[in-house]
Amino acid sequence: MTMTIPQETLDQLTHVPMPKHVATRQPNEMLQLGADIIPVYRSEALVIGSGAAGLRAAVELRRRHIDVLVATQTLFWGTSACSGSDKQTLHTAATSKQGDNFIKLAQALGAGGAMDADTAYVEAVGSVEAFAGLKYIGLPLPEDRYGAILRYQTDHDEAGRATSCGPRTSRLMVKVLAEEAIRLGVAFVDHSTVIRLLVAGEGRERKIAGAIAINSGDRGENNPTGLAIYLCPSLVLAAGGPGELFRDSVYPKRCFGSLGLGLEAGITAVNLTEHQFGIGTRRDEFPWNLSGTYVQCMPYIYSVDDKGNEHNFLAEYYRTTQELAANIFRKGYQWPIHATRMLDFGSSLVDLAIFSESQSGRTILMDFNRNPQPVAGDESFSLERLEPDVASYLSNNDALLPLPIDRLRRMNPLAIELYKYHGQDISQAPLAFNVNHQHMNGGLAVDTWGQTSLSGCYAIGEAAGTHGVTRPGGAALNAGQVFGLRCAKQIANQTASPPLAVAQLHKQIAQCMADITQGLSNESGLSLQQIKADIQQRMSDKAGFICYADEVSDALQAAQQLNQVIQQQGIAIPYVNKVAVSFQWRHMALASEALLTALDFYISQGGGSRGARAICSAQGEAVPESRQGPLADYRFITEKPEHRQQQLTVTYQQGKFAVTVSSLRQLDDLNAIFFEKNWPDFLTGALYR
Ligand SMILES: Cc1cc2nc3c(=O)[nH]c(=O)nc-3n(C[C@H](O)[C@H](O)[C@H](O)COP(=O)(O)OP(=O)(O)OC[C@H]3O[C@@H](n4cnc5c(N)ncnc54)[C@H](O)[C@@H]3O)c2cc1C
C-alpha cells in the first residue's frame, strides 16, 4: 500500500531552519602589538568549524566538562549544512534483523585498500555510540514498527547498512547537534576564519599552541583587520573538505577546508590521491548530488549543443536500450565513479560518456518526464524489458510506473520537493548537471583518536584522511561522528597543561601580521582571481576523474611554480575584507601542490586507476568500450594490487613536499582483549594515552 506523504512532513525534512542564537564568548585578554590591540581567547579546547563533525566534538567535549570554544568561518555553512543527495546517507553498523559483525563492517569500510585496519575497526564499533547519540538528541532516523532502523543498500555497501533522514541528513545532524551545543552552553565565535596555526616547541617537542584568526566581530579602530588569537592546549580541525580545489565541484561555495592550513604547519597528510567524483547539479545553480532515486527512476539523459539540437548520446555507448536504462539505474547505488566500472558496459561508462560529451561543449540534462530514448536499431524502453535487479527494485518499491517522475515521486517525493524549494521544478523542466569533485577521502593523517602528527592537534570529519581508496556512501558522516567522540574522550582524559604565555608566540603572530600588511599594500602581488583560476583549472583538467598519466608531472611543476610566485611576489589583498580568503587561497595552492606531488609519485611507481580516478595512458592495459568499439582515448593503467597495502603520506618541510610510502596500521589481536585484564586501562585512563 502506498501513502501520500503530507506536505508538512516534506517541508520539515527539506526546509531545515537552524537555531537562531548561540552563546558567544568575550576575549580573555588583549594583546598590544605596535599600534594594534588584538583580542586573545583562551579555552581548554578549540574546535575549528561548525559542521557535523565539529559540533559533535564540541558537544562531546562539553559533556566531559571541557571548556570548549567553537571558532567558525560561517555558522551553519559548509558541506554538512548545505549539501546532500536524494537520500543523504549515514552508514553505520546495521541495527535491524540480525545486527552486524564489526569485523565485516571494518573490512567493508577498507575494502578499496589504503585504509588503516585499526581506523576501520574504530569506525565500525564506534558507529553504534555515535549513531545512538544522534538518535538520542533527536535526529529523525526512520524506524520500522519494531523500533529497528530502516536500512538500504548504497554504494560500496554489499550488506545494506545505509540509512537516511531524507535529502538533508547532514543538515539535520547539524541542527540537532547545534541545539544540543546550545543546551550545554558551548560558546561560539562566528565569522571567525582561522588563517594560521600557532605551534610551540621544537622538533619532537612541537605541539599545538593555538591559532590566528580573522574575526569580523573583532574589527575596530585598533584592529582594522579583525585579527584574533586563540590559545588552547588542544585544537580540533573540523573545517571540512577542500571544496574550492576543483573547478567542477559540487561542494557549496567558500569551502576551503584546512588541508593547506595543516600542511603549512608541518602536519602530515595521507591518501591525497583519493577522492570521489560523481554526477550532480552545477555549482553556480544549486549544487547537489544526483545519486540514489534521482537515477534509479531512470530519467532520460541527453545533451544539447550550441544550436539547441538534442543528442541521445548515451545510446552511442550502450548496446541495448535495456542495458542503457539499467546502467542509469545502477548509478543510484554505484553513484561515485569507479574506473573499473567503465569497463564491460558498467555504470561508470555513463559518467565517461557525460564527461566526453561535455568536453565537446554540450550541456548535459536529465529529463524526468521522458524515459530513456532507444538505442538505434533496438526497441523502445519498456517496463516489460528491465534487467532483473532493476525490475525487482522498482517492483519492491511499488514503483513500476510509466514515467521517471512518477517513479521518483513514488520512491522519494522529497527528492522533487528539494529542487522545488531551490527554484527548480524537475516535474516540469529538465535539470542540467555534470561530473563533479564531491569528496576528499584523504586529508590530514590521524591516529585512532583523531590526533595528527602535531601533538595536541586533531583532525576530524572531512579534514581527516581516514578513508581509503573507496568508502561506502554515508561513511564520511559516520567517520566525522566517531572521531568527534573519540577526540573528545582523549582530550578530556589528558592532564591539564599550564596556560601558555602569549609572549612565547609573538614571533609567529608578528610574522602573520607582516604578511597581512605586505599583502594589503602589494600592488604587484598575484590576484585572488588569478590564483583561483590557475588552481581550479589545473586540478579539474589534469587531476580529475579522467587523468592523463603523462600530464601530471607538468601539472605538478605548474603548481610548484605558483607557490614559488606566491612566495616571491606575494598575494595582492585588495581590501581588509579579503584578508581571510587570501590566506585560504594561499593554503589551496599548497594543498594543490601536495595532491599533485602525491599523484605524480603514485604514477611514477606504476600506480594505476583506482577509486574514482582513471589514470589514462597509451600504455594502459584496460580499454573501456562503447557499442561503436574501444574508446582508445580512455585506455587506462590498472591498479597494482600491492598499492592497496600502502598509503602515501605527504609532509611540507623547508618549502618542499616530501612523499613517504607507509604500510597500513594493523589491528591488534582482538582475541587477546579480556574484561578483567583490560578494565584497569579504562579505569585509570591509560587507554587514552
Ligand atoms: C553534495 C554532497 C553530498 C554528500 N553526501 C554524503 C552522504 O550521503 N553521506 C556521507 O557520509 N557524506 C556525504 N557527503 C560528504 C559529507 O557531507 C562531508 O564529508 C561532511 O559533511 C563534512 O563534514 P565536516 O563537519 O567535516 O565539514 P563541513 O560540514 O564542511 O564543516 C566545515 C566547517 O568549518 C568551517 N570552516 C572552514 N574553514 C574554516 C576556517 N579556516 N576557520 C574557521 N572555520 C572554518 C565552515 O564554516 C564549516 O562550519 C556529501 C558531500 C557533498 C558535497
Side-chain angles (χ1 to χ4, degrees), residues 390-644:
V390 185
S392 68
Y393 193 94
L394 293 182
S395 149
N396 290 343
N397 287 291
D398 294 331
L400 279 168
L401 298 168
L403 286 179
I405 194 69
D406 304 326
R407 300 191 280 269
L408 184 58
R409 193 171 284 118
R410 175 62 52 85
M411 290 194 283
N412 190 358
L414 289 163
I416 304 169
E417 198 58 29
L418 183 89
Y419 272 98
K420 203 183 273 174
Y421 181 58
H422 287 273
Q424 280 170 286
D425 187 350
I426 60 173
S427 69
Q428 299 298 317
L431 197 56
F433 71 101
N434 59 3
V435 180
N436 293 303
H437 180 232
Q438 185 264 327
H439 191 263
M440 182 91 184
N441 283 8
L444 299 175
V446 293
D447 65 14
T448 53
W449 297 103
Q451 191 160 191
T452 67
S453 60
L454 178 62
S455 178
C457 182
Y458 297 77
I460 61 168
E462 207 173 325
T466 48
H467 307 289
V469 174
T470 57
R471 62 167 182 84
L477 290 172
N478 178 57
Q481 297 303 295
V482 171
F483 278 98
L485 246 162
R486 284 187 67 85
C487 74
K489 288 183 184 184
Q490 190 177 58
I491 293 169
N493 278 283
Q494 270 158 6
T495 35
S497 39
L500 197 78
V502 68
Q504 286 184 36
L505 303 164
H506 272 188
K507 205 170 146 201
Q508 290 172 62
I509 299 167
Q511 178 61 55
C512 185
M513 290 171 77
D515 290 346
I516 295 172
T517 311
Q518 196 254 358
L520 283 167
S521 57
N522 185 2
E523 281 165 18
S524 61
L526 285 178
S527 76
L528 297 175
Q529 292 86 335
Q530 270 174 300
I531 299 174
K532 176 180 175 179
D534 189 86
I535 295 172
Q536 290 187 338
Q537 271 170 34
R538 182 163 45 249
M539 293 306 294
S540 276
D541 295 340
K542 308 293 175 196
F545 90 93
I546 295 294
C547 167
Y548 288 95
D550 58 2
E551 293 181 354
V552 172
S553 61
D554 284 353
L556 170 60
Q557 271 183 31
Q560 287 166 335
Q561 209 181 346
L562 175 67
N563 276 310
Q564 280 157 17
V565 178
I566 291 175
Q567 283 291 323
Q568 287 152 11
Q569 254 174 265
I571 299 178
I573 309 177
Y575 38 90
V576 287
N577 281 355
K578 294 280 180 192
V579 170
V581 80
S582 77
F583 277 83
Q584 290 178 307
W585 278 114
R586 188 190 288 261
H587 294 149
M588 271 304 159
L590 285 177
S592 150
E593 185 182 329
L595 191 154
L596 286 163
T597 305
L599 189 56
D600 187 52
F601 182 91
Y602 176 67
I603 292 170
S604 74
Q605 302 294 297
S609 310
R610 61 181 193 178
R613 188 176 279 114
I615 309 280
C616 298
S617 161
Q619 280 75 51
E621 307 85 359
V623 199
E625 259 186 275
S626 77
R627 70 193 294 258
Q628 330 262 15
L631 298 164
D633 285 352
Y634 302 110
R635 176 180 280 280
F636 65 81
I637 303 170
T638 52
E639 185 187 11
K640 307 278 168 295
E642 63 270 26
H643 288 158
R644 290 182 161 222

Side-chain angles (χ1 to χ4, degrees), residues 48-54 71-81 83-85 87-90 170 192-195 238-241 250-252 255-258 261 287-289 438-439 460-463 471 473-478 584:
I48 300 176
S50 59
T72 187
Q73 178 182 313
T74 316
L75 199 56
F76 310 139
W77 183 257
T79 315
S80 313
S83 299
S85 53
K87 298 188 293 294
Q88 201 193 11
T89 310
L90 182 57
S170 59
S192 173
T193 304
V194 168
I195 58 168
V250 73
Y251 288 74
C255 286
F256 291 90
S258 53
L261 179 79
W288 207 255
N289 278 353
Q438 185 264 327
H439 191 263
I460 61 168
E462 207 173 325
R471 62 167 182 84
L477 290 172
N478 178 57
Q584 290 178 307

